[in-house]
């Protein structure tokens, strides 16, 4: 990574494919791409019902310093999600109402930040979703240069500029741009199969039979008995 770099133009996945991915939930997409791409579970939405999807504009910054988030605002296109990683762990409130107002005016759909966020009530009223490591009122400075639109590791996952981000109540998943179409197709097939399974479960069938678990359980040593043996 080259510190002090802000890349203006990045490749993004086809908008139609991003929309298809956005119709699936984080859990489905995580499974559809081989159980990969899921950020650490401490990344939580700051208010209930938050959901967002779009292309990643990546930010690399430093603890207690939100300077690069302002640079990212200039480089966002409509439909983007800003993803910020830090050089060291931090929970300061690096993003709030004023930056969110700027991001929304630029067409950004949300923020994923491995640090803190504040002004939660105002962000909910504004309808700007954020997934963060923490909620903290502690303010930040603008003193140290980082980078924008370079590869970063955010909450344990490598994110390249232009990768697809989907975030909801279950967390945040990253879909590599080159795999976006394949993952969208796999997720749609998975959802179709789950729809049939959901119908059968609702009708009273057991997962033991639908998923063919009984023989495997027997082989693993499970025995059914009619009465407890330790009377």
């Amino acid at each position: 990574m080259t510190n002090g770099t802000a890349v203006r133009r990045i490749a993004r996945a086809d908008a139609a494919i991003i929309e298809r991915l956005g119709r699936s939930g984080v859990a489905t997409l995580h499974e559809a791409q081989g159980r990969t791409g899921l950020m650490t579970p401490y990344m939580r939405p700051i208010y209930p019902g938050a959901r967002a999807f779009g292309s990643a504009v990546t930010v690399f910054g430093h603890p207690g310093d939100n300077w690069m988030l302002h640079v990212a605002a200039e480089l966002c296109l409509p439909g983007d999600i800003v993803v910020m990683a830090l050089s060291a762990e931090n929970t300061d409130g690096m993003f709030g109402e004023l930056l969110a107002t700027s991001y929304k005016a630029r067409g950004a759909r949300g923020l994923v930040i491995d640090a803190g966020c504040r002004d939660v009530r105002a962000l909910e009223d504004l309808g700007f979703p954020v997934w963060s490591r923490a909620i903290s009122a502690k303010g930040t400075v603008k003193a140290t240069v980082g980078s924008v639109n370079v590869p970063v590791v955010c909450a344990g996952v490598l994110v390249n500029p232009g990768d697809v981000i989907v975030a909801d109540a279950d967390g945040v998943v990253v879909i590599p741009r080159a795999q976006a179409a394949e993952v969208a197709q796999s997720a749609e097939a998975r959802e179709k199969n789950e729809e049939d399974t959901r119908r059968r479960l609702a009708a009273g069938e057991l997962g033991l039979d639908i998923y063919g678990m009984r023989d495997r359980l027997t082989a693993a040593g499970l025995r059914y008995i009619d009465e407890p043996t330790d009377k």
Side-chain angles (χ1 to χ4, degrees):
M1 178 192 304
T2 302
N3 204 38
T5 299
V7 180
R8 290 194 177 95
R9 290 182 290 275
I10 62 172
R12 292 167 170 84
D14 181 79
I17 293 174
I18 296 174
E19 290 291 327
R20 287 170 59 194
L21 288 166
R23 289 194 287 268
S24 295
V26 166
T28 296
L29 293 167
H30 169 58
E31 296 283 353
Q33 63 176 352
R35 298 183 180 179
T36 61
L38 187 64
M39 288 191 181
T40 305
Y42 61 62
M43 299 293 284
R44 303 301 305 147
I46 63 168
Y47 58 79
R51 178 173 175 78
F53 59 91
S55 292
V57 167
T58 59
V59 179
F60 179 74
H62 303 284
D65 193 315
N66 73 348
W67 211 0
M68 291 301 101
L69 285 174
H70 288 269
V71 177
E74 179 184 21
L75 302 180
C76 282
L77 295 180
D80 286 343
I81 291 182
V82 177
V83 178
M84 185 175 193
L86 273 69
S87 59
E89 290 188 8
N90 184 250
T91 58
D92 294 352
M94 300 179 69
F95 185 87
E97 179 186 7
L98 294 180
L99 261 175
T101 301
S102 176
Y103 277 32
K104 191 166 185 179
R106 302 290 294 183
R109 291 178 173 174
L111 171 73
V112 174
I113 180 169
D114 197 0
C117 178
R118 62 183 187 176
D119 300 337
V120 172
R121 179 68 62 83
L123 293 182
E124 183 172 9
D125 290 344
L126 190 62
F128 192 86
V130 176
W131 285 256
S132 68
R133 183 187 187 102
I135 293 173
S136 174
K138 186 176 180 180
T140 56
V141 300
K142 299 161 184 62
T144 309
V145 169
S147 293
V148 179
N149 280 331
V150 299
V152 299
V153 175
C154 183
V157 180
L158 174 64
V159 187
N160 287 290
D163 285 348
V164 182
I165 306 295
V166 179
D168 61 20
D170 287 334
V172 182
V173 67
V174 181
I175 299 101
R177 180 175 60 86
Q179 300 172 20
E182 177 186 350
V183 174
Q185 184 174 1
S186 178
E188 288 162 355
R190 186 177 185 86
E191 288 182 338
K192 184 177 181 180
N193 181 63
E194 286 182 352
E195 182 178 343
D196 179 64
T197 301
R198 188 179 301 109
R199 177 186 56 78
R200 294 173 65 183
L201 289 169
E205 287 189 63
L206 295 172
L208 290 171
D209 299 310
I210 294 173
Y211 300 119
M213 296 180 184
R214 294 193 184 278
D215 289 344
R216 291 167 51 209
L217 284 167
T218 299
L222 179 67
R223 296 184 304 118
Y224 286 90
I225 59 176
D226 292 329
E227 299 285 346
T229 57
D230 56 346
K231 291 185 178 180

